[in-house]
Amino acid sequence: MIRTTALAVLLAATLPVFASEAANTKVDLEKAKQIASSVCVACHGADGNAPTTAFPILAGQGADYITKQLGNFKTMVRNNPIMFGMAASLSDDDMKSLGVYFSRQEHKANASKDEALAAEGRTLWRRGDFAKGIPACASCHGPAGAGLPAQFPRLAGQYAEYTEAQLNTFRSGERANDPAAMMRTIAAKLSDRQIKAVADYAAGLH
């Protein structure tokens, strides 16, 4: 009950901000396609299906979430020198347009690699770990991993290696752009095995 109330407060506080920003930006999908094909392509692919596991798949990701991350990279709220360089010259319109563009691209199917590991991840995803105070991943990212626009990313079909890396950066505090430190708090309670398990399970969600 406490967690549900806290989540409701978080959403109520953040949604008006994104709604206001959206009202003041314009979407230019043709320009976004040009940027994706010239700037984003090497790491994320022109259609958002990253060619290697070192980079996230953006195809099918929530538009508002992508826009928020680009803004965080540009302002260095999310510390990543490479992405700072990529986002530095983007306008608010560009970031919004890229979010919409990638969200509309078809996400290529992915799969779990370790059946036993994925089974452990499924339990954590659906039920959490009560003994360690870890909530079910599904409570924020959804039963099928579709996420919630702006606040919580789609994790379904994401590279397991990338999800694992991000959970580790949340756990270490290296990544700190999560609202109310939610992911840092949760990741701090996860073991290495649990991180690998939930990342592998999420990769196979559709």
Side-chain angles (χ1 to χ4, degrees), residues 71-157:
N72 285 173
F73 284 128
K74 183 175 180 177
T75 57
M76 298 188 75
V77 172
R78 185 171 173 183
N79 186 22
N80 184 307
I82 294 176
M83 279 306 303
F84 168 73
M86 298 296 179
S89 63
L90 297 177
S91 66
D92 289 346
D93 287 353
D94 292 338
M95 291 187 285
K96 179 66 177 180
S97 297
L98 283 167
V100 174
Y101 171 77
F102 281 123
S103 74
R104 296 183 180 181
Q105 303 307 302
E106 183 178 356
H107 184 290
K108 295 179 180 178
N110 204 344
S112 300
K113 297 178 180 179
D114 185 320
E115 186 176 343
L117 194 64
E120 293 179 31
R122 180 173 61 248
T123 299
L124 193 61
W125 186 277
R126 296 178 178 179
R127 289 186 273 176
D129 185 335
F130 182 79
K132 296 177 68 175
I134 299 171
C137 306
S139 61
C140 289
H141 296 281
L148 183 66
Q151 284 75 32
F152 309 113
R154 167 183 171 152
L155 297 181

Side-chain angles (χ1 to χ4, degrees), residues 50 53 74 108 122 128 143 147 164 188 195 199 206:
T53 60
K74 183 175 180 177
K108 295 179 180 178
R122 180 173 61 248
E164 180 182 350
I195 286 177
H206 301 287

Side-chain angles (χ1 to χ4, degrees), residues 40-59 102 107-108 110 158-159 162:
C40 312
V41 61
C43 296
H44 300 286
D47 65 349
N49 284 287
T52 71
T53 60
F55 307 106
I57 296 171
L58 300 181
F102 281 123
H107 184 290
K108 295 179 180 178
N110 204 344
Q158 185 58 265
Y159 289 130
Y162 182 78

Side-chain angles (χ1 to χ4, degrees), residues 2-17:
I2 293 176
R3 188 179 182 283
T4 302
T5 302
L7 179 57
V9 171
L10 172 63
L11 294 179
T14 55
L15 283 174
V17 174

